[in-house]
Each structure stands twice: as C-alpha cells, then as structure tokens.
Amino acid sequence: MMLDPGGLIATGLLATMLVTGAVALLVNDLLVAAALFGVFSFAAAAWFAALGAVDVAFTEACVGGALTTILLVAATFRTTRRLDR
Amino acid sequence: MKARLRAAAAALILGGLFVGLLAGVRDLPPIGDPSSPASTHVSPRFIEEARRETGALNMVTAVLADYRGYDTLGETAVIFAAGLGAFVILAASIGGPRRETPGPGLSHRVDSLLLDTAARVLAPFLLLFAVYVLVHGHVSPGGGFQGGVLFGLGLVTLRLVWGPPRPDRAASRFGPGVRASFLLASAGLLAYIAIGIAAMAFGGAFLDYGVLPLGQDPAHVRELATLGVEAAVFVAVSGTVAVLFETIAVGVAETGRPLPNEDPAPVEAREEG
C-alpha cells in the first residue's frame, strides 16, 4: 500500500487538532489550555494552507494562533490560572 | 419566578429560531454540489471576470472587498461590536473581586532586557509587514483584515513590554489606550460606510465603486476603491484588536491611572522628591 504524503500530513494535522483540543478541555491549568489552543490554531492554519485556502490560513494564523492566544493568556492573568473541578 | 419566566421565554425564542434555521437549511443545495446555482452561475463569473473587472490578481480580495463588499462591511461592523461588547461587559464587572494580581507585563512595565530587545526588533517589522499585507492584498494572500490584525498585534507587542500609558511614566507611555483605540475602530468603520455612500452620491448603488471619479479605466477605479475599503477595514480591525487587548488584559479603568491593587508608591515618592 502506497502512503500519500499529502494525506499523511493532513491526517497528522487533523490528529493534532483533535488531541490538542481535547487536552485543552481536560487540563486544569488554564495557561496550558491557552497554549494548547495556540497549537490547535496553528495546526488548523497549516491544514487550511494544505487545502489551498491561503487567505483563510493567513487569517487563522493571525487571529487564532496569535490574537486569541494572547487574549486567553491575558484573561487567565486577570481571573485565575487554576480550574477547580 | 420572574427570572425563570424570562429564561423560559428566551429558551422558547432561541429554540424556535434554531428550529426555523434548521428547516431553512433543508432547502439549501448540498455543500459543494456542482449543479447548485452558486457553482454554475456565481463562481464561474467571479473566476472568469474578476481580473478584468476589478484589476485584482488575488480573486479572494476581489470577492471580499468588491463583489461582496456589503458582507465585508457587515463583518467589520460585527468585529467592532465584539470590541464594544467586551468593553461594556468588562466595564460593568470592573468593580468586582479580582482573585489574582494581574501579572507583570499586563499592568506594569517589565524590566527585562530580553523582552525589551525582542520587542524592539520584532515590533517594527510586524508593523511594516502589516502595511505590506494591506497594500499587497490585491496580488497576494492578505488584505485589510489580516493586515489590521497584524498591526494590532504589533501594537500589543510593544504594549506588553513597555506597559500601559501612564502619566507618571513618560518613557512607557506607549500604545493608543482604550479611548483612542475606539476612535480608530469607529473611524475605520465610518470610512467604509463613507466610501459606500460616496458611490451612491455619484449615481451608483451602495458600495458600487465603479462610478467613483478616480480615473478613466473602471477596473482601475474599482482597484483603488478596493484598496480604500481594505484600508478602512485595516484601521477598524487594528483599533478593535487594541480595544480587546486593553479591556481584557489591562482593564477599563486603566487609562492614566494605576490599577486598584497596584502599589502607587512610586508616584508619591517622586512628587515628594
């Protein structure tokens, strides 16, 4: 069976999104969750770029990867870092 | 009882809206259907005519800022409303308890050579690249939205390292602050609307750039107007990014005043000396 490299990359990126998203919801340290969401957005941006939607990938990298991560980190500084469940 | 009634009414209205929207979705053609009207009429028209009609090599920019300029105006308004919403909600809760002291870099200046140097190197390139992304949006990926976010991030980078604007620290008085950021965001949104109304004044429809008296070649006129619209989006988005950062990271009452739980001793010390 021949493995298609493009398909492998896409699968890896989607798996990264799934894992980082799930772990971000489960961890109790909100700073870690914010960082994981940054990784999630970066994988999403790379996936959009792999699909040929470069403008969307650009936007996702700017907004999801950078801005949202900064705002989430700022929000943890202003509220609390530990999540008590 | 009254609160419960209100919640029930809200649930009923939202539930009804959800069901109605779901029913509407059933009438739409399947996503990616090659025989849907969008794929047989609209997309080929954009693909074949965008270059000739709008002068833009990047078709995404032609669609976003020209053909569907009305959508983009709505999106810009939504982003502005998001900034306004964050401001209003956090302003209402600013008197509430704060469980943890705001971290360094958010409420006051960090004295770190590494951060300072990194920001000095990074921020100018970030700001310049943002403008490049804006003006190059016609021919390469990017445009006003991405450029605006990058420009806002450049401001946030400087702001993170050099602290909020405070009257007692001239050296760290950097960044637009909430009020100026709101002015920027509103100015961008209003400029977008003004371009649309200008087209109406010259006999076209709202946002119908082709009629503007900017030259002989209609495609070139639309290209220029698209750049104008993108610049308006750029200003609106970078202002909103700054508003969001200021309100979420620093607090609404920050401008010119120390945060409630910050030690104001240095100010007094300086006044005495």
Side-chain angles (χ1 to χ4, degrees):
Chain A
M1 189 179 122
M2 279 285 288
L3 278 175
D4 166 32
L8 267 183
I9 292 172
T11 312
L13 290 172
L14 287 173
T16 308
M17 286 165 67
L18 202 64
V19 171
T20 50
V23 175
L25 290 177
L26 293 175
V27 288
N28 282 327
D29 190 330
L30 293 177
L31 207 55
V32 172
L36 282 169
F37 271 126
V39 179
F40 175 91
S41 290
F42 186 77
W47 187 48
F48 292 147
L51 291 176
V54 193
D55 283 82
V56 185
F58 197 170
T59 312
E60 177 64 30
C62 288
V63 178
L67 178 62
T68 310
T69 310
I70 290 178
L71 292 181
L72 285 176
V73 170
T76 62
F77 270 111
R78 292 261 296 164
T79 54
T80 179
R81 186 173 164 183
R82 290 262 149 216
L83 191 64
D84 302 317
R85 297 186 213 249
Chain B
M1 191 61 211
K2 202 178 164 193
R4 184 169 289 191
L5 207 67
R6 207 152 55 176
L12 207 67
I13 291 170
L14 287 177
L17 197 65
F18 180 68
V19 171
L21 287 173
L22 265 190
V25 165
R26 272 188 38 204
D27 294 337
L28 290 174
I31 292 171
D33 182 8
S35 60
S36 69
S39 299
T40 49
H41 298 289
V42 184
S43 299
R45 161 70 196 269
F46 288 164
I47 293 168
E48 285 158 16
E49 305 290 336
R51 176 84 181 91
R52 192 179 57 78
E53 282 184 349
T54 68
L57 280 175
N58 181 9
M59 206 201 315
V60 177
T61 300
V63 171
L64 285 182
D66 190 309
Y67 291 121
R68 303 229 170 130
Y70 203 70
D71 285 8
T72 307
L73 175 61
E75 280 166 25
T76 313
V78 164
I79 288 161
F80 178 74
L84 199 62
F87 178 80
V88 168
I89 290 169
L90 290 173
S93 65
I94 200 69
R98 189 172 283 141
R99 271 178 282 177
E100 221 167 276
T101 312
L106 300 178
S107 64
H108 48 267
R109 185 193 163 106
V110 195
D111 286 315
S112 158
L113 184 66
L114 276 179
L115 283 180
D116 202 272
T117 311
R120 275 171 204 273
V121 174
L122 189 62
F125 285 107
L126 207 50
L127 297 174
L128 192 64
F129 183 63
V131 179
Y132 163 81
V133 167
L134 163 68
V135 297
H136 221 244
H138 277 78
V139 290
S140 68
F145 188 83
Q146 292 94 332
V149 174
L150 281 174
F151 197 83
L153 288 173
L155 294 179
V156 166
T157 305
L158 291 173
R159 187 71 172 59
L160 267 174
V161 176
W162 289 348
R166 280 177 50 172
D168 57 310
R169 282 190 198 147
S172 67
R173 201 187 294 168
F174 182 83
V178 172
R179 184 182 298 235
S181 307
F182 259 124
L183 279 177
L184 266 181
S186 330
L189 187 56
L190 288 176
Y192 200 146
I193 297 171
I195 292 174
I197 291 176
M200 288 170 82
F202 286 99
F206 186 60
L207 292 172
D208 182 10
Y209 314 133
V211 297
L212 292 173
L214 297 170
Q216 298 298 317
D217 179 18
H220 186 60
V221 170
R222 285 173 77 162
E223 198 180 344
L224 285 176
T226 303
L227 184 62
V229 164
E230 294 275 354
V233 173
F234 179 93
V235 173
V237 169
S238 53
T240 306
V241 167
V243 166
L244 282 172
F245 177 77
E246 293 286 336
T247 50
I248 292 177
V250 187
V252 179
E254 125 281 355
T255 326
R257 267 185 295 159
L259 285 166
N261 53 0
E262 198 181 341
D263 184 18
V267 190
E268 291 163 14
R270 213 177 60 169
E271 279 166 1
E272 282 162 17

